[in-house]
Amino acid sequence: MDRSQKAESVASLNATFNEVGVVVVTRNLGMSVAQSTVLRGKVRDAGATYKVAKNRLAKLAIKDTNYAGIDEMFTGPTAIASSVDPIAAAKAVVDFAKTTDKIEIVGGSMGALVLNAEGIKALASMPSLDELRAKLIGLVQAPATKLAQLSTAPAAKLARVFGAYATKDAA
């Protein structure tokens, strides 16, 4: 990798760090190419990215960003998972880490907040942004649904009473 490629890589990583909501640092403990491909697919499906970067270049890229606190995590064979959604990358990596012992979650950061491995796992256990939106919409719609049920209930009761009298008179 020559100097221009390194500068391009640092600029690309810096742009990524300035856009994302969460960064998860992982350590590769002998993953095969097939396992790495599966991990990249799961991360991509979650709307996140997974990138192997040289530690020195990653340390240069995080300077002057909110993620400057995670520079000591870049030791050994590391990779970076990141996403705009603060939960997507963490959830994808933690779910994959449950299936194999070939990847270790070192830690990460959500903005300026530095998280250890347990913090990343706790973040992954939270519902995603889409799930929270669905719950919120359900909560907003629930009172209207109950109001509609209450307003139709007296009419339904009245109809059942008339029906009961009709069957009683018919018998």
Side-chain angles (χ1 to χ4, degrees):
M1 189 178 257
D2 66 356
R3 185 178 290 267
S4 64
Q5 290 173 326
K6 288 179 182 178
E8 186 178 308
S9 178
V10 168
S12 171
L13 281 171
N14 188 282
T16 300
F17 287 132
N18 284 322
E19 296 173 351
V20 297
V22 69
V23 172
V24 179
V25 180
T26 63
R27 185 167 291 128
N28 182 348
L29 302 175
M31 259 194 319
S32 68
V33 173
Q35 288 173 321
S36 180
T37 304
V38 169
L39 173 59
R40 287 176 191 270
K42 286 185 178 188
V43 169
R44 192 177 313 111
D45 291 343
T49 60
Y50 186 76
K51 190 181 291 189
V52 176
K54 291 184 176 262
N55 293 336
R56 182 137 173 82
L57 299 179
K59 287 179 182 181
L60 289 172
I62 62 174
K63 285 183 181 175
D64 301 324
T65 66
N66 289 338
Y67 301 99
I70 63 171
D71 63 342
E72 69 274 354
M73 293 181 190
F74 291 107
T75 57
T78 57
I80 304 163
S82 60
S83 66
V84 176
D85 180 2
I87 297 172
K91 191 171 281 211
V93 172
V94 168
D95 287 346
F96 182 79
K98 289 177 184 175
T99 64
T100 183
D101 59 347
K102 301 290 185 181
I103 189 170
E104 174 190 2
I105 298 169
V106 178
S109 181
M110 192 168 71
L113 177 65
V114 177
L115 303 168
N116 60 6
E118 295 303 316
I120 295 295
K121 290 176 183 172
L123 185 64
S125 68
M126 295 177 64
S128 71
L129 192 57
D130 289 338
E131 291 172 5
L132 287 174
R133 286 179 181 152
K135 285 182 182 179
L136 184 62
I137 289 172
L139 289 173
V140 168
Q141 287 180 341
T145 305
K146 290 190 187 269
L147 185 62
Q149 289 172 350
L150 287 174
S151 65
T152 59
K157 286 181 182 178
L158 192 59
R160 280 193 293 270
V161 169
F162 287 146
Y165 279 123
T167 56
K168 181 180 172 187
D169 289 340

